[in-house]
Short mmCIF file of all heavy atoms in Angstrom, two decimals:
data_model
loop_
_atom_site.label_atom_id
_atom_site.label_comp_id
_atom_site.label_asym_id
_atom_site.label_seq_id
_atom_site.Cartn_x
_atom_site.Cartn_y
_atom_site.Cartn_z
N PRO A 23 -28.99 33.25 63.78
CA PRO A 23 -28.19 34.26 64.27
C PRO A 23 -28.84 34.95 65.61
O PRO A 23 -28.17 35.75 66.28
CB PRO A 23 -28.22 35.26 63.11
CG PRO A 23 -29.28 35.00 62.35
CD PRO A 23 -29.61 33.50 62.47
N THR A 24 -30.15 34.65 65.73
CA THR A 24 -30.80 35.15 66.91
C THR A 24 -31.62 34.23 67.61
O THR A 24 -32.00 33.10 67.03
CB THR A 24 -31.73 36.43 66.54
OG1 THR A 24 -32.85 35.86 65.83
CG2 THR A 24 -31.08 37.41 65.57
N PRO A 25 -32.17 34.40 68.72
CA PRO A 25 -33.05 33.37 69.46
C PRO A 25 -34.31 33.16 68.64
O PRO A 25 -34.89 31.95 68.49
CB PRO A 25 -33.42 33.95 70.81
CG PRO A 25 -32.27 34.90 71.10
CD PRO A 25 -31.76 35.43 69.79
N THR A 87 -31.65 29.67 74.08
CA THR A 87 -31.40 30.06 72.68
C THR A 87 -30.55 31.29 72.55
O THR A 87 -30.25 31.62 71.49
CB THR A 87 -32.85 30.30 72.06
OG1 THR A 87 -33.48 31.37 72.69
CG2 THR A 87 -33.65 29.04 72.07
N ASP A 88 -30.37 32.04 73.65
CA ASP A 88 -29.78 33.33 73.60
C ASP A 88 -28.20 33.29 73.78
O ASP A 88 -27.83 32.45 74.47
CB ASP A 88 -30.41 34.44 74.55
CG ASP A 88 -30.29 33.90 75.96
OD1 ASP A 88 -30.45 32.71 76.25
OD2 ASP A 88 -29.96 34.73 76.89
N SER A 89 -27.53 34.20 73.24
CA SER A 89 -26.07 34.37 73.51
C SER A 89 -25.74 35.83 73.68
O SER A 89 -26.44 36.72 73.20
CB SER A 89 -25.31 33.81 72.15
OG SER A 89 -25.69 32.45 71.89
N PRO A 90 -24.64 36.08 74.41
CA PRO A 90 -24.19 37.49 74.53
C PRO A 90 -23.82 38.11 73.28
O PRO A 90 -23.18 37.51 72.36
CB PRO A 90 -22.88 37.38 75.40
CG PRO A 90 -23.10 35.95 76.09
CD PRO A 90 -23.67 35.17 75.08
N ASN A 91 -24.35 39.38 73.13
CA ASN A 91 -24.00 40.11 71.86
C ASN A 91 -24.34 41.66 72.06
O ASN A 91 -24.38 42.13 73.14
CB ASN A 91 -24.85 39.51 70.67
CG ASN A 91 -26.26 39.49 71.00
OD1 ASN A 91 -26.86 40.18 71.80
ND2 ASN A 91 -27.10 38.77 70.30
N LEU A 92 -24.30 42.36 70.87
CA LEU A 92 -24.64 43.74 70.90
C LEU A 92 -25.97 43.95 70.20
O LEU A 92 -26.28 43.44 69.18
CB LEU A 92 -23.53 44.47 70.01
CG LEU A 92 -22.10 44.21 70.28
CD1 LEU A 92 -21.24 44.98 69.42
CD2 LEU A 92 -21.70 44.56 71.80
N ARG A 93 -26.87 44.62 70.98
CA ARG A 93 -28.25 44.71 70.56
C ARG A 93 -28.65 46.14 70.34
O ARG A 93 -28.16 47.06 70.95
CB ARG A 93 -29.20 44.05 71.55
CG ARG A 93 -28.86 42.51 71.81
CD ARG A 93 -30.06 41.88 72.36
NE ARG A 93 -29.71 40.37 72.37
CZ ARG A 93 -30.59 39.39 72.66
NH1 ARG A 93 -31.86 39.66 73.02
NH2 ARG A 93 -30.23 38.15 72.68
N VAL A 94 -29.56 46.32 69.34
CA VAL A 94 -29.80 47.67 68.76
C VAL A 94 -30.70 48.42 69.83
O VAL A 94 -31.62 47.90 70.28
CB VAL A 94 -30.47 47.57 67.47
CG1 VAL A 94 -30.94 49.08 66.98
CG2 VAL A 94 -29.48 46.99 66.40
N VAL A 110 -25.89 50.63 69.97
CA VAL A 110 -26.00 49.35 70.57
C VAL A 110 -25.98 49.34 72.04
O VAL A 110 -25.27 50.13 72.67
CB VAL A 110 -25.20 48.39 69.91
CG1 VAL A 110 -25.39 48.17 68.44
CG2 VAL A 110 -23.64 48.71 70.15
N GLU A 111 -26.60 48.27 72.66
CA GLU A 111 -26.50 48.06 74.08
C GLU A 111 -25.95 46.66 74.32
O GLU A 111 -26.06 45.81 73.47
CB GLU A 111 -27.96 48.05 74.69
CG GLU A 111 -28.00 48.12 76.26
CD GLU A 111 -29.44 48.33 76.73
OE1 GLU A 111 -30.34 48.49 75.90
OE2 GLU A 111 -29.51 48.28 78.04
N ILE A 112 -25.18 46.50 75.48
CA ILE A 112 -24.51 45.18 75.59
C ILE A 112 -25.56 44.24 76.23
O ILE A 112 -26.21 44.52 77.23
CB ILE A 112 -23.31 45.45 76.68
CG1 ILE A 112 -22.40 46.54 76.13
CG2 ILE A 112 -22.56 44.09 76.77
CD1 ILE A 112 -21.90 46.52 74.84
N TYR A 113 -25.70 43.02 75.62
CA TYR A 113 -26.59 42.04 76.09
C TYR A 113 -25.75 40.87 76.80
O TYR A 113 -24.91 40.32 76.13
CB TYR A 113 -27.48 41.40 75.03
CG TYR A 113 -28.38 40.30 75.43
CD1 TYR A 113 -29.54 40.53 76.08
CD2 TYR A 113 -27.91 38.96 75.31
CE1 TYR A 113 -30.39 39.49 76.55
CE2 TYR A 113 -28.77 37.92 75.78
CZ TYR A 113 -30.00 38.23 76.40
OH TYR A 113 -30.76 37.16 76.86
N GLY A 114 -26.05 40.63 77.98
CA GLY A 114 -25.31 39.49 78.59
C GLY A 114 -23.93 39.92 79.00
O GLY A 114 -23.72 41.09 79.27
N GLY A 115 -23.04 38.93 78.99
CA GLY A 115 -21.61 39.20 79.37
C GLY A 115 -20.71 38.72 78.26
O GLY A 115 -19.86 37.89 78.43
N PRO A 116 -20.71 39.49 77.10
CA PRO A 116 -19.79 39.07 76.02
C PRO A 116 -18.38 39.38 76.34
O PRO A 116 -18.08 40.42 77.12
CB PRO A 116 -20.35 39.91 74.93
CG PRO A 116 -20.90 41.10 75.43
CD PRO A 116 -21.48 40.61 76.77
N LEU A 117 -17.49 38.68 75.70
CA LEU A 117 -16.15 39.03 75.65
C LEU A 117 -16.00 40.23 74.69
O LEU A 117 -15.85 40.04 73.47
CB LEU A 117 -15.12 37.92 75.28
CG LEU A 117 -14.90 36.74 76.36
CD1 LEU A 117 -14.22 35.63 75.76
CD2 LEU A 117 -14.20 37.33 77.52
N LEU A 118 -15.75 41.39 75.18
CA LEU A 118 -16.02 42.65 74.27
C LEU A 118 -14.96 42.71 73.34
O LEU A 118 -15.34 43.08 72.18
CB LEU A 118 -16.10 43.79 75.21
CG LEU A 118 -17.20 43.96 76.28
CD1 LEU A 118 -17.03 45.25 76.96
CD2 LEU A 118 -18.59 43.94 75.49
N TRP A 121 -15.46 41.38 69.69
CA TRP A 121 -16.39 41.93 68.79
C TRP A 121 -15.71 42.99 67.98
O TRP A 121 -16.25 43.54 67.06
CB TRP A 121 -17.50 42.54 69.58
CG TRP A 121 -18.44 41.42 70.00
CD1 TRP A 121 -18.38 40.81 71.21
CD2 TRP A 121 -19.64 41.03 69.36
NE1 TRP A 121 -19.47 39.83 71.25
CE2 TRP A 121 -20.17 39.92 70.10
CE3 TRP A 121 -20.30 41.29 68.13
CZ2 TRP A 121 -21.30 39.24 69.73
CZ3 TRP A 121 -21.46 40.55 67.75
CH2 TRP A 121 -21.89 39.56 68.57
N ALA A 129 -29.64 40.97 62.55
CA ALA A 129 -30.68 40.17 62.42
C ALA A 129 -31.62 40.26 63.62
O ALA A 129 -31.28 40.79 64.64
CB ALA A 129 -30.26 38.59 62.32
N LEU A 210 -33.38 43.63 67.57
CA LEU A 210 -32.36 43.38 66.64
C LEU A 210 -31.02 43.25 67.33
O LEU A 210 -30.73 43.90 68.32
CB LEU A 210 -32.28 44.68 65.61
CG LEU A 210 -33.58 44.92 64.77
CD1 LEU A 210 -33.40 46.28 64.21
CD2 LEU A 210 -33.72 43.87 63.76
N MET A 211 -30.18 42.49 66.70
CA MET A 211 -28.90 42.14 67.30
C MET A 211 -27.83 41.86 66.25
O MET A 211 -28.16 41.47 65.14
CB MET A 211 -28.93 41.12 68.36
CG MET A 211 -29.52 39.70 67.76
SD MET A 211 -30.22 38.70 69.03
CE MET A 211 -31.84 39.48 69.28
N THR A 212 -26.57 42.10 66.65
CA THR A 212 -25.54 41.90 65.66
C THR A 212 -25.01 40.43 65.74
O THR A 212 -25.29 39.71 66.77
CB THR A 212 -24.35 42.90 65.98
OG1 THR A 212 -23.89 42.64 67.27
CG2 THR A 212 -24.82 44.32 65.82
N HIS A 213 -24.36 40.00 64.72
CA HIS A 213 -23.80 38.69 64.72
C HIS A 213 -22.64 38.66 63.72
O HIS A 213 -22.65 39.36 62.65
CB HIS A 213 -24.73 37.56 64.24
CG HIS A 213 -25.26 37.70 62.92
ND1 HIS A 213 -26.29 38.46 62.48
CD2 HIS A 213 -24.93 37.03 61.75
CE1 HIS A 213 -26.54 38.39 61.24
NE2 HIS A 213 -25.69 37.49 60.73
N SER A 214 -21.64 37.81 63.97
CA SER A 214 -20.46 37.68 63.16
C SER A 214 -20.96 36.86 61.74
O SER A 214 -21.60 35.92 61.97
CB SER A 214 -19.35 37.00 63.74
OG SER A 214 -18.33 36.56 62.83
N ARG A 232 -22.03 31.26 68.81
CA ARG A 232 -23.36 30.90 69.55
C ARG A 232 -23.41 29.55 69.95
O ARG A 232 -24.48 28.85 70.16
CB ARG A 232 -24.47 31.26 68.74
CG ARG A 232 -24.64 32.80 68.42
CD ARG A 232 -25.90 33.17 67.59
NE ARG A 232 -25.71 32.48 66.22
CZ ARG A 232 -25.02 32.99 65.19
NH1 ARG A 232 -24.36 34.05 65.36
NH2 ARG A 232 -25.00 32.36 64.03
N GLU A 267 -28.93 34.39 79.54
CA GLU A 267 -27.70 35.20 79.72
C GLU A 267 -27.90 36.38 80.57
O GLU A 267 -26.86 37.03 81.09
CB GLU A 267 -27.08 35.61 78.40
CG GLU A 267 -26.57 34.41 77.49
CD GLU A 267 -25.45 33.61 78.07
OE1 GLU A 267 -24.93 34.06 79.05
OE2 GLU A 267 -25.09 32.62 77.46
N HIS A 406 -18.53 32.77 75.58
CA HIS A 406 -18.98 34.13 75.43
C HIS A 406 -18.16 35.06 74.47
O HIS A 406 -18.33 36.24 74.37
CB HIS A 406 -19.01 34.85 76.85
CG HIS A 406 -20.17 34.40 77.67
ND1 HIS A 406 -20.64 35.02 78.74
CD2 HIS A 406 -20.90 33.22 77.69
CE1 HIS A 406 -21.61 34.43 79.35
NE2 HIS A 406 -21.82 33.28 78.66
N SER A 407 -17.26 34.47 73.73
CA SER A 407 -16.68 35.08 72.65
C SER A 407 -17.61 35.16 71.34
O SER A 407 -18.51 34.33 71.33
CB SER A 407 -15.31 34.41 72.26
OG SER A 407 -14.72 35.00 71.11
N VAL A 408 -17.34 36.06 70.47
CA VAL A 408 -18.17 36.00 69.21
C VAL A 408 -17.93 34.76 68.52
O VAL A 408 -18.76 34.39 67.61
CB VAL A 408 -17.85 37.29 68.40
CG1 VAL A 408 -16.46 37.11 67.74
CG2 VAL A 408 -18.93 37.47 67.35
#
Side-chain angles (χ1 to χ4, degrees):
T24 76
T87 60
D88 60 319
S89 302
N91 56 18
L92 310 179
R93 302 201 172 188
V94 175
V110 296
E111 189 174 3
I112 311 303
Y113 177 82
L117 286 172
L118 297 178
W121 288 85
L210 300 167
M211 56 204 76
T212 59
H213 66 277
S214 172
R232 300 176 295 281
E267 297 294 355
H406 285 201
S407 171
V408 74

